[in-house]
Structure formats: C-alpha cells, structure tokens
Amino acid sequence: MPDANTTSRERYSKLAPLHISAEMLLVSLALMFFSPGFQIKSKNHQKGVPLKPSSGGDFIEYLDAIRCLPEKADRYFHQLGPILHRMVEHGLLVDMGVGGGAYVMLPNHYYTFYELSKLRQRGGLWMAKVLGGRLVHHLASPAIVHIVGENDQGEREGSGIIFDKHHVLTCKHVVSGMRLAPTQAFQGKTVTVDKVFTHPSEDVAVIRIKEPLTTVPGLGFVDPVVSQKVYRFGYSRVPCSVPSSTGTSPLVMQSGEVTNESTLFLGGTKLFLYSAISRPGDSGGAVISDDGYVVGMTTELLDSRAERKEGEEVFSPHYAGIPSGVLAKAVSELGLGVQIPMETYE
C-alpha cells in the first residue's frame, strides 16, 4: 500500500488564488468576450442569425483557445466563478440565466454593455469594485511617495501623490514644517527637487521634480460621497520596522468609509471626514474610493478633546481629508501649467 506521506495525487481543480495581474486579465477578457460586438466579429456568427448570450463554458473554451492560463481553463473554475459573479454584482456583466447544454461549473450566460470614460480607459482602476482593495493597492501605490526632510527637532516626513510626471501633490503643512531634502527617493530612484509651490490659503502644495516620474494610467480624481468605502494611503512611521533599501518607511493602506463629505471649518477650510485611521506621516497621501478614484488627500488630524470628571482629558480624533475638487482648484490657482486629472465622465 502506498505511503500517504510520500505519494500525492494532484487534484484537478486549482484552489490557489490567482495573482492580481492574472485576475485583471480575466476581467478584461470577460468584458470583451461577452460583448455583442465580439460576437458579431466572431467567425462563428452568421449574418441574419439572432445573437445569443455566451456562457461561462464558452468563455472557458475561449480562454483555452488563446492560452492565457498556465493550464486548461476549466481547472480554474473556483477562481473564474467568483470573478464573473462580482462582475454581475457591480454592473459589468448582465446575467442572462442558465441555458441549455450549459457547462455545469459555470452554467450562466452573460452579456455586457459596460462603458468606460476616456480617463478610465487608460488604466485598470475601473476593475476596483470587482477585484477589491488588493487591486487598488497594486495599481495606485506607485503614485504614493514618501517625502522626507528635517527640522530643529530632527527628521520629518510626509506623503505625496504623483499626478503628473514632474509634479507631486502634498499638504502645505508637510513641506512648511520641514527643510525638504534636496533629493528624494521616489519610485525606487533618487530624484531632485526643483521647486516647491504652496497655496496661500489651502493646505495644498506641489513639489516639482527635475527627473520624470511614472504616473499611474487612469488615476482619476472625484469628490467624496458619504458612506463610500475608501482606502487611505500613507507613509506613517512604523515602530521597529526596517527601512527599505531606499530608506523609506513601508507604505500603509487603511480601509474605512467617508463619514461626512463636506464640512466647512473656521477660516473657510472645506474638508471631508472619514473613518480610516491616519497617523503622523500620512498627511499628503491619497484617499482612494473602492471604485478606484482619488477622492481627496489626507490632511492634519482634527483634534477634539473633552474633559471627564476630575479633569480627565479624553482624546476624540476625527480623520480629515481635502476633497478632490478643492485640490484641483488649488493646483489650478498655483498657475503651474498642470492640472489634477478630474473625472468628467466623457
């Protein structure tokens, strides 16, 4: 009798999660495959014959034909099924039900009439609702940079957002609270600070970099909406962590939701509130919605302190951000010849 410890039988279905890049490819292929236009162009479609929705089994056959997976596509039905389901849930596919002779593992038929704006077509962040925070982190994190410098108390740091190949968006209080290091480690390389521009009234600043940076395709900005799920990105210091080879702290992503989309504060400052925890160093980092849009930028903590009996002080923080519309207006007023890429839905 074979020893169970020395022999194994390879199961047919694959259970291990796919890499995020493979999931992105499958979403893109599904959106194309289930479109009526793809059927019309297909060699199998004859003129005068009514179009019929394709099935999950048809999609499996197509994936095998183009050989986009390492092995036979039907071995991946545990991964394909949830992807198609989430595409239906978020409006990318229309579920037409089960048809005759269906592939039992993926029996439903689908159509898609999903459209992308010109801005979204440039990248893959439109898949964020389907593939979740893992995709947002994978695609958006290259746009978030660690800004370093020093003041009389020692090292200072903050975060920034690359929105143009030579410009980084951050908070005014980040750059005004430090002597900015003349060179920075952005995107794994050393770059040179050319000039810093600060807005006269908003907590907004732009750092111009001499060397070209890599922008994230399709990274668009929209204003926040209450109850919207968001991910806060930033380079807050992590105790006992070992800096990377470039000397930067680890990038941290924290989830939460927008708790108030627009509040006016003393001095005419307009902010939004969210529940994702922010820490020193996160200022200037992006707040990104679960559908892949930058809805704002983290600003200083709103410190609310109250007193309990016997003079005990209670710390009750509110985490705040500058809405994208305010950011876009402030950058435009700086007159730098660059603009925040606001979504126009065209």
Side-chain angles (χ1 to χ4, degrees):
M1 187 173 181
D3 185 349
N5 293 323
T6 58
T7 63
S8 63
R9 181 171 64 86
E10 186 182 88
R11 62 183 304 126
Y12 185 76
S13 57
K14 293 288 187 180
L15 300 182
L18 292 170
H19 188 272
I20 189 65
S21 60
E23 291 189 339
M24 290 173 62
L25 176 61
L26 290 173
V27 172
S28 296
L29 290 173
L31 199 67
M32 177 193 70
F33 179 80
F34 292 111
S35 67
F38 183 80
Q39 285 196 35
I40 292 171
K41 294 176 183 178
S42 172
K43 294 179 182 179
N44 297 325
H45 182 258
Q46 299 176 1
K47 285 187 177 181
V49 178
L51 289 175
K52 294 182 180 180
S54 298
S55 69
D58 296 329
F59 188 47
I60 288 283
E61 292 180 4
Y62 172 70
L63 295 177
D64 279 335
I66 64 172
R67 299 181 179 180
C68 74
L69 291 170
E71 301 177 61
K72 284 181 63 66
D74 62 353
R75 299 191 69 187
Y76 295 88
F77 70 87
H78 282 294
Q79 294 83 7
L80 287 167
I83 286 175
L84 296 177
H85 176 76
R86 292 195 298 270
M87 290 182 74
V88 171
E89 181 183 357
H90 297 294
L92 276 71
L93 293 179
V94 178
D95 190 337
M96 305 299 291
V98 179
Y103 173 61
V104 67
M105 298 302 182
L106 297 172
N108 290 34
H109 291 63
Y110 305 95
Y111 264 140
T112 181
F113 300 97
Y114 192 70
E115 292 184 82
L116 298 171
S117 69
K118 291 179 181 178
L119 179 59
R120 296 291 251 183
Q121 289 173 12
R122 299 172 192 164
L125 281 162
W126 57 272
M127 305 181 204
K129 281 280 192 180
V130 176
L131 300 181
R134 194 163 66 116
L135 172 105
V136 176
H137 186 276
H138 176 70
L139 292 183
S141 59
I144 317 302
V145 295
H146 188 206
I147 300 169
V148 296
E150 61 181 21
N151 62 11
D152 294 340
Q153 283 73 49
E155 294 181 354
R156 300 284 294 177
E157 56 194 334
S159 304
I161 311 166
I162 297 172
F163 70 97
D164 173 80
K165 65 180 181 179
H166 287 286
H167 295 87
V168 174
L169 183 68
T170 189
C171 290
K172 179 167 65 174
H173 79 263
V174 169
V175 294
S176 62
M178 69 167 82
R179 293 182 291 275
L180 195 64
T183 60
Q184 302 281 328
F186 291 170
Q187 298 183 324
K189 60 186 178 182
T190 300
V191 297
T192 310
V193 174
D194 183 19
K195 194 173 181 179
V196 178
F197 306 87
T198 58
H199 193 273
S201 57
E202 302 289 353
D203 188 19
V204 175
V206 172
I207 303 172
R208 179 177 287 163
I209 302 298
K210 290 183 179 180
E211 299 81 4
L213 301 168
T214 302
T215 58
V216 172
L219 185 67
F221 288 62
V222 298
D223 277 326
V225 178
V226 70
S227 82
Q228 186 176 42
K229 184 175 180 179
V230 293
Y231 304 101
R232 191 272 307 144
F233 287 79
Y235 282 96
S236 51
R237 183 167 295 183
V238 179
C240 301
S241 67
V242 178
S244 69
S245 58
T246 58
T248 63
S249 299
L251 176 64
V252 175
M253 182 178 87
Q254 177 92 37
S255 66
E257 66 178 14
V258 176
T259 57
N260 182 286
E261 61 191 37
S262 180
T263 297
L264 195 64
F265 290 86
L266 294 175
T269 301
K270 181 181 177 182
L271 302 175
F272 72 100
L273 308 179
Y274 57 87
S275 61
I277 297 172
S278 294
R279 302 171 179 87
D282 290 330
S283 288
V287 182
I288 302 180
S289 66
D290 64 344
D291 54 354
Y293 284 108
V294 179
V295 298
M297 180 176 70
T298 298
T299 187
E300 290 182 298
L301 185 74
L302 298 174
D303 183 350
S304 173
R305 297 180 185 269
E307 287 192 4
R308 286 182 179 174
K309 59 183 179 180
E310 300 178 356
E312 181 184 359
E313 195 173 87
V314 180
F315 179 47
S316 178
H318 288 274
Y319 308 110
I322 305 170
S324 287
V326 174
L327 296 174
K329 185 173 183 290
V331 170
S332 178
E333 289 171 349
L334 287 174
L336 306 180
V338 292
Q339 301 290 332
I340 295 290
M342 292 292 290
E343 176 64 273
T344 63
Y345 301 102
E346 291 297 322

